[in-house]
Amino acid sequence: MTVILLRHGVSTSNIGRTLAGRTPGVELTERGAEQAAAVADRLATLPIEHIASSPLLRCQRTVAPLAEKLGLEPEHDERLIEVDYGEWTGRPLAELLTEPLWKVVQGHASGAVFPGGEGLAQVQQRAVAAIRDIERRLAGEAGRDVLWVACAHGDIIKAILADALGLHLDSFQRIAVEPASISVVRYGTMGPSVWKFNDTGADLSALAVTAAPVPGGEVPTAPGADNGNAGHRDSP
């Protein structure tokens, strides 16, 4: 089973340099909408059979063009929702930099619990469980490998990738996940393998091939057009 982890496009919170969290109504910017359209063009050529998404508006807007092209109805999964940052929600990032907890989030994420919100260890547990549960369901329904998309948020995707890479959660900030980027994890009988991460432009035709990668983890690629990702962040 192969999942394409898609981060939402640039949002109004990204350019405002605030921590959006679960604030309702956070929209994509004009650039974010362009990114969503570009991602749809890139992914629509692949045999994608399912789309799961965080229920937050910026993720819904990001997957809408792809869902329309593929004729799929996105499944909104609460376990893919953004971190509950509690009292940090909506605050400027520059202000949060002065908080003692910021250093904990960066260097000891497994011990970080946001005031009035979630702990990052809890976040990783629910996010990975969502991916694994959907994988099992799709495999059971299809009886074969399925290529699918999960659209979520920066910290959610980094937590999933850390698990797939066998990294301790304390190292998850070493992973970059830009707006509108894709990361690809293939789950097999011997465990997960990460085929791509933070990809904003390479050709994706290799994902349509179900054969195992060659020794060393190499994946066939071809030059592709970059989608012009702006690289803003909305999470610590």
Side-chain angles (χ1 to χ4, degrees):
M1 304 293 284
T2 304
V3 59
I4 299 171
L5 302 169
L6 169 64
R7 187 181 175 190
H8 63 78
V10 174
S11 72
T12 53
S13 180
N14 291 143
I15 62 173
R17 303 297 293 164
T18 60
L19 192 63
R22 298 181 181 181
T23 304
V26 175
E27 270 281 11
L28 297 183
T29 63
E30 181 178 350
R31 179 65 195 132
E34 291 172 353
Q35 289 176 320
V39 166
D41 288 340
R42 294 179 68 207
L43 297 184
T45 60
L46 298 175
I48 294 167
E49 299 182 48
H50 183 73
I51 299 173
S53 173
S54 159
L56 293 179
L57 183 61
R58 54 195 185 274
C59 286
Q60 292 184 40
R61 297 286 198 232
T62 299
V63 298
L66 176 63
E68 183 176 0
K69 282 180 176 290
L70 296 176
L72 297 174
E73 183 67 30
E75 170 191 6
H76 297 150
D77 194 314
E78 290 288 340
R79 295 170 298 177
L80 296 176
I81 198 170
E82 178 63 291
V83 180
D84 182 355
Y85 294 113
E87 296 172 15
W88 280 28
T89 301
R91 292 176 61 185
L93 294 177
E95 182 181 293
L96 294 173
L97 284 169
T98 66
E99 294 280 356
L101 181 60
W102 183 272
K103 292 183 178 180
V104 179
V105 171
Q106 300 303 312
H108 182 43
S110 62
V113 179
F114 295 97
E118 285 183 293
L120 286 174
Q122 176 187 356
V123 170
Q124 184 182 48
Q125 183 179 30
R126 67 166 165 86
V128 172
I131 297 298
R132 296 294 190 131
D133 286 351
I134 295 171
E135 290 271 346
R136 283 190 290 269
R137 190 186 81 217
L138 294 177
E141 292 172 353
R144 54 175 170 75
D145 292 346
V146 173
L147 178 64
W148 63 289
V149 171
C151 182
H153 309 268
D155 280 349
I156 303 301
I157 294 174
K158 288 192 294 183
I160 295 168
L161 288 173
D163 172 77
L165 290 165
L167 294 177
H168 195 283
L169 183 59
D170 288 351
S171 298
F172 97 131
Q173 296 289 17
R174 299 179 184 182
I175 300 170
V177 176
E178 301 173 76
S181 67
I182 67 161
S183 300
V184 180
V185 182
R186 178 160 284 177
Y187 291 91
T189 56
M190 300 300 292
S193 58
V194 177
W195 281 45
K196 293 179 181 289
F197 66 89
N198 199 38
D199 186 321
T200 59
D203 175 69
L204 301 175
S205 58
L207 297 181
V209 180
T210 58
V214 299
E218 298 298 328
V219 179
T221 59
D226 191 276
N227 70 355
N229 178 30
H232 298 285
R233 301 180 67 231
D234 72 326
S235 58

